[in-house]
Amino acid sequence: MNTGSSEPGEVALASDDTRPDEADGGQGLGSRAPEFIKARRALHLSWQVGVFIVGLAVVAAGIVMLPLPGPGWVVIFGGMAIWATEFVWAQLVLRWTKRKVTEAAQRALDPKVRRRNIILTTIGLVLVAAIAGFYLWKFGFVMPWKIEDQ
C-alpha cells in the first residue's frame, strides 16, 4: 500500500490486493510482539514497557548527539523505529516522516531547484573567498605560533 501521494492534500488509496490497515512490510498496524507474548496480558504489558524504555533510551541518546558529535537524527529515527514495533502512533509518525523525506528528495532533484542551489552555493563561495582575500590583504597571513608576545 502506498503511504502517501505525489500531490499534497491527496489521500492515498489501497489497491484491491491489499487491506487498508497494512503497512509497507505487509503487516497491519499494531504490535509486532510474538503471539505467545500477546496471548498473556501481563507479559504483553511488560513487553510494551520494555520496548518503550529501550526506545526512550535510544531517542534520548539521539537528542544528546544533536549538539555533540554523532548521528543524532539517525539515532532518533532508530528509536522511533523501535517504538514503531509496538505502538501505532510511532508507526504513523514514521510513515509521515518517510513520505515527507521522499517528497523533499524529489523536490531536491528538480532541475530548477538544483540550478538555484548551485547558483546560491557559488555566490556563497565567492563571498567567502572575497572576505578571506580581503582579510589576508589587510592583515596578512601569520601562523599563530609565529605571533610575538606583546
Side-chain angles (χ1 to χ4, degrees):
M1 179 174 98
N2 186 4
T3 59
S5 160
S6 60
E7 298 296 322
E10 288 187 10
V11 176
L13 297 175
S15 60
D16 293 337
D17 58 340
T18 60
R19 293 189 339 236
D21 64 341
E22 287 183 345
D24 291 337
Q27 289 183 318
L29 293 175
S31 176
R32 288 178 174 74
E35 291 302 322
F36 73 92
I37 290 177
K38 287 186 203 176
R40 294 164 184 85
R41 183 154 174 75
L43 189 57
H44 190 235
L45 183 62
S46 62
W47 176 272
Q48 285 181 326
V49 169
V51 167
F52 182 79
I53 290 172
V54 170
L56 185 65
V58 172
V59 168
I63 290 171
V64 167
M65 286 184 208
L66 287 175
L68 298 176
W73 285 110
V74 173
V75 174
I76 289 172
F77 289 125
M80 288 296 294
I82 291 171
W83 280 338
T85 63
E86 198 58 37
F87 304 108
V88 174
W89 61 268
Q91 293 168 2
L92 296 175
V93 167
L94 280 180
R95 280 185 181 181
W96 179 84
T97 304
K98 286 179 187 177
R99 188 175 69 243
K100 291 298 181 184
V101 166
T102 303
E103 290 172 5
Q106 288 177 352
R107 278 195 312 268
L109 294 175
D110 180 27
K112 291 179 183 177
V113 173
R114 290 186 71 199
R115 189 176 317 117
R116 182 198 66 203
N117 289 345
I118 290 171
I119 290 170
L120 289 175
T121 302
T122 304
I123 290 171
L125 289 174
V126 167
L127 284 173
V128 167
I131 291 169
F134 175 76
Y135 179 85
L136 290 175
W137 171 73
K138 188 75 172 167
F139 301 106
F141 185 75
V142 178
M143 298 306 274
W145 53 84
K146 292 188 177 180
I147 295 176
E148 296 178 16
D149 293 334
Q150 295 180 1

